[in-house]
Amino acid sequence: MARKMSQEEFAELLEISVDFLSLIERGINAPSFENLEVFSAQLGIPVSELFTFDVGSTPSESRQVPPGVR
């Protein structure tokens, strides 16, 4: 789902200001639950995916649960 867009375009998509987006990116501020719902809806992904930090070579690999883990 990689898209090339400016920080301004991304903030507009997420319905937040560029300043707030910058604060989130730098870990200075955190989005509200309501913001997270908007972000996931605008990005077309479940909210839980916003918290998936595994690094895999493809998105589906990073989402796979290891064997024996439920």
Side-chain angles (χ1 to χ4, degrees), residues 21-38:
L21 178 58
S22 178
L23 292 172
I24 293 170
E25 289 175 334
R26 293 182 285 147
I28 295 171
N29 209 334
S32 67
F33 291 116
E34 291 83 10
N35 288 133
L36 294 174
E37 289 176 342
V38 171

Side-chain angles (χ1 to χ4, degrees), residues 11-55:
E12 186 176 326
L13 174 73
L14 298 180
E15 301 177 9
I16 60 173
S17 70
V18 174
D19 291 334
F20 187 51
L21 178 58
S22 178
L23 292 172
I24 293 170
E25 289 175 334
R26 293 182 285 147
I28 295 171
N29 209 334
S32 67
F33 291 116
E34 291 83 10
N35 288 133
L36 294 174
E37 289 176 342
V38 171
F39 296 174
S40 68
Q42 293 297 85
L43 295 170
I45 61 173
V47 172
S48 62
E49 185 123 351
L50 297 172
F51 298 95
T52 303
F53 300 104
D54 296 335
V55 179

